[in-house]
Amino acid sequence: MESLTSRMQAVQSPIIPVVGELIKNSPGTISLGQGVVSYNPPPEAIEFLSKFLAESTNNLYKSVEGIPPLLTALAGKLQAFNGIEINEENCIVVTAGSNMGFMNAILAITNPGDEIILNTPYYFNHEMAIAMAGCRAVLVATDENYQLRPEAIAQAITPKTRAVVTISPNNPTGVVYSKAALRQVNQICETRSIYHISDEAYEYFTYNGVKHVSPGTFGSSKYTISLFSLSKAYGFASWRIGYMVIPKHLFVAVKKIQDTILICPPVISQYAALGALQAKEEYLQSNIGALAQVRQLVLDSLNRLQGLCSITPANGAFYFFLKVNTQMDAFELVKRLIQEYKVAVIPGTTFGMNDGCYLRVAYGALQKETAKEGIERLVQGLETIVES
């Protein structure tokens, strides 16, 4: 039988399930692969589920953009933490995770054949969404420390460009972009009448006194789309709640997309999100504080690889992005690390890095003891495999 072709043939396969299968076939493997946290949602999130269950009409569809109490709570959070004011020029749309927010944005602002600028290394689901929409990702390299190069971004803009995407704190590199660089990109977008899509899923994960900056605070919100998520900070990965702040003129388009794909975000998860936002400040402080200790432990071990790997300072998210000084194929190296040393990481090719051997190391999902064992396996494996 002849195989059917579709636009999906142009889309890369997601790497996480591929690595997951390798892990399954190598029992005892410690995963430094998937970007999730080890802790659970706050108790307030679970307590609010009873409020959902107490109202029988909650079994019905609700507003496409989210339930009013959650929209109000999110507006308060955006004002207090991000400095973003919700007014007559913008609005919030709750989504089933911020990946959906990104897809909503791409479909709302593009026609097939349009271009979206991604900074490399990129987040693979962004590149996949662009391809699914029939658009083209234009890749702009970051500098040697994975920081933005605004002049290069400006030069990459063509009449077909519809948006520039930034992720800060960054996945996969863990770097945090400076306020000056983000402002420069935002200004370029406004001047050229294209959108600045700012992915801020890791907004709470910063270290060493580094502060998160939201481009949505830089004046006019006409060309800024901001994406947020509860998946990371609130241990909400499977609850699928994110949200986007969009210019008001995109609201009708985004509602059409979301109503078609989702109808409304899962209402039970929205209630849980409403509860999570009531959590005491200590919840985030203690969990991210514990993660900072894991980060330091991981960094101390990775520093033993100086000379074998380039390790860029990363003050955000829960990733390090290593450049390994070898001619080996990154995926082959990942396979050997799993099969021979029982530790899993993600190859840099997944993030658009094809000019060398790169690995993303994720430490968010691990407690101290497991992280120490996992990173020791990685260091030993790289020392033995690469130097042999």
Side-chain angles (χ1 to χ4, degrees), residues 39-245:
Y39 56 87
N40 293 321
E44 292 87 344
I46 310 306
E47 288 163 13
F48 263 62
L49 297 182
S50 61
K51 295 180 184 291
F52 167 83
L53 295 168
E55 177 54 68
S56 61
T57 63
N58 280 335
N59 295 315
L60 303 174
Y61 296 129
K62 298 295 179 182
S63 299
V64 174
E65 66 269 29
I67 58 174
L70 181 55
L71 294 172
T72 300
L74 290 172
K77 175 266 176 185
L78 287 162
Q79 178 78 68
F81 184 79
N82 304 93
I84 296 174
E85 181 188 356
I86 301 303
N87 52 38
E88 64 281 350
E89 292 183 355
N90 60 12
C91 59
I92 303 168
V93 176
V94 180
T95 57
S98 61
N99 270 7
M100 182 174 189
F102 186 82
M103 192 83 226
N104 283 353
I106 296 300
L107 291 173
I109 66 174
T110 64
N111 290 309
D114 284 344
E115 296 173 352
I116 305 292
I117 293 175
L118 298 181
N119 297 282
T120 56
Y122 55 64
Y123 170 47
F124 56 86
N125 282 137
H126 284 175
E127 191 271 341
M128 292 167 68
I130 292 163
M132 285 181 198
C135 297
R136 189 170 82 89
V138 173
L139 308 183
V140 174
T142 49
D143 70 14
E144 64 278 4
N145 291 316
Y146 304 124
Q147 292 290 333
L148 296 172
R149 296 163 58 233
E151 298 82 6
I153 291 169
Q155 289 172 3
I157 296 171
T158 75
K160 288 190 170 185
T161 305
R162 292 294 169 263
V164 176
V165 179
T166 61
I167 310 169
S168 183
N170 189 261
N171 177 10
T173 66
V175 304
V176 180
Y177 298 148
S178 71
K179 184 175 184 177
L182 286 169
R183 187 186 290 277
Q184 201 174 340
V185 170
N186 195 260
Q187 188 60 57
I188 289 166
C189 291
E190 187 168 351
T191 301
R192 303 291 285 271
S193 299
I194 61 177
Y195 293 94
H196 180 184
I197 302 176
S198 173
D199 186 329
E200 303 174 42
Y202 298 87
E203 58 184 327
Y204 292 103
F205 297 90
T206 58
Y207 315 99
N208 299 324
V210 173
K211 299 292 183 189
H212 170 67
V213 177
S214 292
T217 62
F218 298 155
S220 170
S221 56
K222 187 177 179 183
Y223 292 106
T224 305
I225 298 170
S226 305
L227 307 178
F228 303 93
S229 173
L230 272 72
S231 292
K232 313 302 181 185
Y234 289 96
F236 249 60
S238 73
W239 292 89
R240 306 316 302 137
I241 291 290
Y243 54 103
M244 55 196 308
V245 179

Side-chain angles (χ1 to χ4, degrees), residues 29-33 293-305 309 311 318-322 337 341-345 359-364 366-383:
T29 296
I30 294 175
S31 177
L32 299 168
Q293 293 179 22
V294 173
R295 173 187 174 276
Q296 192 57 53
L297 181 152
V298 169
L299 187 56
D300 290 345
S301 292
L302 288 177
N303 280 333
R304 287 165 34 205
L305 295 171
C309 297
I311 302 152
F318 33 77
Y319 305 110
F320 289 108
F321 200 68
L322 310 183
L337 285 167
Y341 290 89
K342 294 193 182 301
V343 62
V345 289
L359 303 174
R360 188 189 76 173
V361 178
Y363 55 86
L366 304 178
Q367 302 292 342
K368 253 185 172 179
E369 298 72 23
T370 317
K372 185 170 179 57
E373 174 62 26
I375 207 69
E376 285 299 315
R377 292 181 190 181
L378 178 64
V379 169
Q380 187 187 352
L382 288 175
E383 285 174 337

